[in-house]
């Protein structure tokens, strides 16, 4: 009876257990099938809710895929969490990093710094640079530590790999150093250039000045001989003497022009607002004789008022206008047109133009003999002449002076020519504000 | 079994352990710290511990029917044992693993 009773009880117990097992299995199946998304557990008469599709999904994925190292440390520095980036940065598998002391990956020389940062972070947060070391590889890193207390007894740490930054820092440093060196070289070259320019200027000034003295003697005594002894000369001797004085006169012109050239940048330069219409009026007045002789026509109107050195610009226009008249075609009335306009720098396509948005372009066009396009640079060089002096008189200095004057004004001069049609000289001056 | 004495366990062969955790959940991080300390203090070299983050390697978690995090599985020596929790009670863990002390 007792046994029977006991068997019954046991069967009942088994049934009860089977029921509970079935219940558990059903629960497991439900969870496995994803049919459960939360459950509550009763602890100390309070329900705690657990969500299965957890709300921290976004944070978890973000931290896990984060492009910086994210690590959680205990107060002793034990790594209790590492994201993928950090253990891949160390080139170690996850198992070798989690559960290991972070200090095992800190370079010996950074240990003290790191300990101080960790200690400081326990009361809030701390940031600093340390070197990590794995095998022989040293990784410079910026670490930012934040205590997660009191909720968690850990310290959260973000590790930023500074390898690239250090490399680019080094690159920038070396580039800056190279630039500095290049600048120094440039400066010293500039200095040399300035020096040789100054020397050249003073040389040509002194040379021209000193050349004038003996020349004057030659002229003076040739003239006296001609005046007093003229009658005693044979026709041939007279011819030779006249040639001597003509040559001496030509040399005087040359020296004066040269002197003028070397003075162009040494003489006093005072920039003044100058009405170019009035300036050309003056030039016309100065050249009245040649203009009348050749019946030249000079057309100009509405020229701008610009800040220039008046006597240099006077010289500039005198040279250009007298050139235009001088190189006119025989039996053709010279017509010279002076126009002005503002051009934006990007339309100019000139390598000399830089640093200014727009330029005044003043053009002096003639209908003279022109020149072959290949000479458009050569004509501005000192002593370069395209024609023999029998054809056209000239020193080969006038246009060199024009070029220098434009340089003094931070501008430049260009020439275009078509043989037998004419030449046009363009003056470019930066448009200044205010 | 005074904690201060840190008695060495009598284990005949190495314990092969797997600790399943889930990212930076508080219990996971506590579990790592506790198990790490326990192994080093009581098991010296007589253990191999593998830590598996089920977020990083869901495929490893799927080897089991159901895995709670954190949980510790003793694979060897047999019998296999599964412990669940953050393992703050060292004695309970030692008992659960079937380790006896001299």
């Amino acid at each position: 009876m007792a046994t029977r009773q006991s068997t019954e009880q046991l069967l009942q117990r088994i049934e009860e257990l089977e029921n509970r097992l079935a219940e558990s299995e059903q629960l497991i199946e439900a969870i496995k099938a994803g049919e459960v998304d939360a459950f509550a557990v009763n602890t100390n008469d309070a329900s705690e809710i657990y969500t299965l599709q957890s709300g921290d999904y976004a944070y978890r994925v973000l931290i896990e895929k984060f492009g910086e190292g994210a690590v959680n440390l205990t107060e002793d520095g034990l790594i209790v969490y590492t994201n993928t980036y950090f253990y891949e940065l160390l080139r170690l598998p996850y198992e070798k990093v989690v559960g290991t002391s972070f200090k095992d990956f800190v370079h010996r020389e950074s240990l003290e710094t790191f300990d101080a940062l960790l200690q400081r972070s326990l009361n809030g947060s701390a940031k600093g640079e340390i070197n990590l070391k794995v095998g022989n590889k040293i990784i410079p890193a910026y670490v930012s530590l934040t205590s997660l207390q009191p909720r968690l007894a850990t310290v959260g740490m973000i590790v930023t790999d500074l390898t690239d930054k250090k490399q680019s820092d080094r690159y920038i440093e070396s580039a800056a150093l190279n630039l500095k060196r290049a600048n120094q070289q440039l400066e010293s070259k500039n200095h040399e250039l300035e020096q040789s320019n100054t020397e050249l200027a003073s040389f040509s000034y002194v040379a021209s000045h000193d050349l004038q003295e003996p020349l004057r003697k030659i002229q003076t005594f040739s003239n006296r001989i001609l005046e007093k002894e003229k009658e005693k000369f044979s026709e041939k001797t007279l011819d030779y003497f006249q040639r001597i004085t003509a040559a001496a006169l030509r040399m005087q012109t040359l020296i004066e022009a040269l002197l003028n050239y070397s003075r162009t940048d040494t003489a006093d330069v005072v920039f003044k607002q100058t009405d170019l219409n009035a300036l050309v009026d003056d030039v016309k007045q100065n050249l009245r004789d040649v203009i009348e002789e050749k019946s030249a026509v000079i057309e100009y109107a509405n020229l701008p008022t610009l800040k220039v050195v008046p006597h240099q610009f006077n010289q500039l226009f005198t040279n250009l206008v007298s050139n235009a008249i001088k190189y006119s075609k025989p039996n053709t009335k010279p017509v010279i047109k002076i126009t002005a306009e503002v051009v934006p720098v990007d339309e100019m396509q000139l390598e000399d133009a830089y640093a200014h948005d727009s330029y005044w372009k003043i053009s002096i066009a003639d209908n003279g003999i022109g020149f072959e396009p290949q000479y458009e640079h050569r004509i501005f060089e000192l002593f370069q002449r395209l024609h023999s002096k029998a054809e056209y008189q000239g020193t080969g200095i006038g246009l060199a002076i024009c070029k220098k004057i434009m340089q003094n004004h931070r501008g430049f001069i260009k020439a275009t020519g078509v043989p037998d049609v004419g030449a046009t000289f363009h003056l470019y001056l930066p448009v200044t504000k205010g | 079994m005074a904690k201060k004495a840190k008695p060495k366990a009598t284990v005949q062969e190495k314990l092969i352990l797997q600790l399943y955790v889930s990212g930076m959940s508080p219990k996971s991080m506590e579990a790592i710290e506790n198990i790490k300390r326990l192994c080093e203090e009581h098991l010296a070299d007589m253990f191999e511990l593998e830590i598996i983050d089920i977020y990083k390697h869901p495929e490893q978690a799927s080897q089991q029917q159901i895995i709670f995090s954190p949980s510790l599985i003793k694979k060897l020596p047999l019998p296999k044992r599964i412990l669940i929790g953050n393992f703050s009670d060292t004695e309970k863990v030692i008992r659960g693993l079937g380790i006896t002390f001299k």
Side-chain angles (χ1 to χ4, degrees):
Chain A
M1 186 74 186
T3 319
R4 222 186 134 89
Q5 175 95 32
S6 158
T7 309
E8 253 174 46
Q9 275 178 343
L10 281 173
L11 284 171
Q12 204 181 342
R13 175 93 179 121
I14 286 170
E15 200 190 329
E16 198 182 298
L17 285 171
E18 274 178 346
N19 281 340
R20 278 171 60 182
L21 185 64
E23 224 172 70
S24 300
E25 279 177 344
Q26 195 272 329
L27 170 67
I28 289 169
E29 289 305 316
I31 294 173
K32 272 175 70 179
E35 293 167 12
V36 177
D37 61 9
F39 61 95
V41 177
N42 196 334
T43 42
N44 303 331
D45 285 335
S47 275
E48 208 160 333
I49 307 292
Y50 294 88
T51 54
L52 294 183
Q53 272 303 343
S54 57
D56 65 355
Y57 175 80
Y59 294 105
R60 179 157 53 78
V61 172
L62 191 66
I63 292 292
E64 202 50 65
K65 307 287 180 201
F66 198 29
E68 310 272 349
V71 181
N72 278 357
L73 304 177
T74 65
E75 294 181 7
D76 304 329
L78 187 77
I79 299 172
V80 288
Y81 171 78
T82 165
N83 70 347
T84 310
Y85 182 91
F86 182 67
Y87 64 77
E88 283 180 353
L89 173 68
L90 299 182
R91 302 208 197 297
L92 288 173
Y94 169 75
E95 297 80 23
K96 295 266 186 218
V97 176
V98 74
T100 309
S101 174
F102 187 81
K103 293 173 194 177
D104 291 356
F105 305 121
V106 176
H107 191 279
R108 213 167 353 101
E109 287 165 15
S110 290
L111 264 178
E112 211 173 302
T113 313
F114 178 73
D115 276 335
L117 288 173
L118 185 58
Q119 281 309 308
R120 220 181 319 140
S121 75
L122 296 178
N123 301 318
S125 63
K127 292 167 181 179
E129 276 187 36
I130 57 169
N131 279 329
L132 302 179
K133 189 170 191 289
V134 189
N136 291 325
K137 196 175 147 68
I138 292 175
I139 305 164
Y142 180 80
V143 292
S144 170
L145 299 88
T146 309
S147 170
L148 302 177
Q149 282 177 331
R151 291 293 300 274
L152 296 173
T154 59
V155 172
M157 180 165 73
I158 299 293
V159 183
T160 305
D161 179 9
L162 295 181
T163 310
D164 288 350
K165 187 182 171 292
K166 295 272 174 191
Q167 249 159 17
S168 55
D169 278 358
R170 268 198 294 276
Y171 178 75
I172 289 168
E173 242 170 62
S174 86
L177 199 69
N178 284 342
L179 200 64
K180 200 176 157 193
R181 268 193 219 125
N183 260 335
Q184 279 169 348
Q185 282 174 348
L186 205 62
E187 246 170 57
S188 93
K189 286 278 171 213
N190 253 336
H191 187 68
E192 278 174 37
L193 200 64
E194 255 171 44
Q195 229 168 10
S196 76
N197 261 342
T198 314
E199 276 168 22
L200 198 66
S202 65
F203 170 79
S204 52
Y205 183 78
V206 169
S208 334
H209 222 258
D210 292 353
L211 284 172
Q212 276 187 315
E213 195 43 43
L215 182 64
R216 220 169 275 140
K217 291 227 164 82
I218 292 172
Q219 288 178 308
T220 312
F221 291 113
S222 316
N223 284 339
R224 274 192 207 164
I225 292 169
L226 266 179
E227 277 167 27
K228 292 184 178 170
E229 318 280 338
K230 202 174 172 180
E231 292 78 30
K232 296 174 188 164
F233 286 172
S234 69
E235 208 162 296
K236 210 170 190 181
T237 313
L238 190 64
D239 178 43
Y240 288 162
F241 247 96
Q242 272 161 347
R243 286 201 205 181
I244 288 173
T245 49
L249 186 68
R250 188 171 150 64
M251 185 150 181
Q252 192 194 343
T253 323
L254 269 171
I255 288 171
E256 271 166 12
L258 200 58
L259 209 55
N260 216 343
Y261 177 77
S262 66
R263 269 195 205 122
T264 303
D265 57 357
T266 50
D268 61 317
V269 281
V270 181
F271 286 80
K272 275 185 197 156
Q273 289 291 345
T274 308
D275 179 2
L276 294 187
N277 298 294
L279 190 129
V280 177
D281 289 342
D282 287 348
V283 169
K284 238 174 99 179
Q285 202 59 38
N286 296 341
L287 297 173
R288 195 177 49 207
D289 293 347
V290 256
I291 290 172
E292 275 170 15
E293 183 194 324
K294 297 264 183 123
S295 315
V297 176
I298 303 174
E299 295 174 2
Y300 59 100
N302 303 324
L303 297 180
T305 296
L306 299 176
K307 200 167 184 185
V308 298
V309 181
H311 74 266
Q312 289 194 353
F313 253 59
N314 192 301
Q315 166 108 65
L316 176 70
F317 276 92
T318 304
N319 287 2
L320 292 175
V321 171
S322 60
N323 263 4
I325 296 170
K326 189 197 293 176
Y327 296 107
S328 58
K329 281 180 284 193
N331 309 320
T332 305
K333 193 171 80 174
V335 177
I336 300 155
K337 288 178 182 161
I338 305 177
T339 53
E341 61 175 324
V342 173
V343 289
V345 74
D346 47 340
E347 280 177 23
M348 287 163 52
Q349 297 179 328
L350 295 169
E351 66 275 21
D352 317 42
Y354 57 93
H356 295 282
D357 291 340
S358 51
Y359 280 75
W360 271 107
K361 178 186 181 186
I362 299 156
S363 305
I364 295 104
D366 64 45
N367 58 344
I369 57 169
F371 56 87
E372 295 283 352
Q374 71 250 37
Y375 296 125
E376 57 185 43
H377 294 294
R378 239 184 78 183
I379 54 173
F380 294 108
E381 288 168 25
L382 204 55
F383 300 122
Q384 289 294 335
R385 309 197 59 233
L386 301 185
H387 307 279
S388 71
K389 69 173 188 275
E391 280 180 289
Y392 296 96
Q393 285 189 346
T395 56
I397 296 175
L399 286 178
I401 289 176
C402 291
K403 186 179 172 185
K404 210 166 184 183
I405 288 172
M406 288 312 292
Q407 282 170 350
N408 287 351
H409 287 77
R410 297 186 175 281
F412 47 95
I413 184 169
K414 296 271 157 188
T416 51
V418 180
D420 274 335
V421 174
T424 306
F425 288 83
H426 303 286
L427 310 174
Y428 292 93
L429 269 178
V431 174
T432 50
K433 283 161 193 125
Chain B
M1 252 183 285
K3 274 184 181 173
K4 281 174 192 167
K6 289 180 187 171
K8 292 289 173 231
T10 52
V11 283
Q12 303 305 315
E13 47 186 314
K14 261 191 180 174
L15 291 169
I16 308 297
L17 304 171
Q18 281 182 326
L19 176 62
Y20 283 87
V21 295
S22 50
M24 61 161 95
S25 77
K27 302 292 175 207
S28 294
M29 296 194 290
E30 284 166 21
I32 291 171
E33 189 182 5
N34 289 330
I35 290 299
K36 203 68 190 178
R37 192 189 319 114
L38 184 148
C39 288
E40 273 160 16
E41 286 181 0
H42 297 287
L43 293 174
D45 295 329
M46 295 303 285
F47 74 99
E48 265 177 36
L49 174 67
E50 185 188 4
I51 302 174
I52 297 160
D53 186 338
I54 57 172
Y55 284 149
K56 289 191 177 72
H57 300 287
E59 72 285 354
Q60 275 178 286
S62 67
Q63 291 166 5
Q64 314 290 329
Q65 268 289 329
I66 180 164
I67 282 287
F68 289 94
S69 164
S71 61
L72 183 68
I73 299 179
K74 186 194 76 171
K75 297 183 85 172
L76 287 171
L78 293 170
K80 179 176 167 182
R81 292 273 175 83
I82 299 178
L83 306 176
I84 295 171
N86 68 348
F87 317 113
S88 55
D89 189 336
T90 308
E91 281 179 38
K92 210 168 133 188
V93 177
I94 286 172
R95 241 190 346 265
L97 290 174
I99 305 166
T100 52
F101 291 96
K102 277 180 193 170

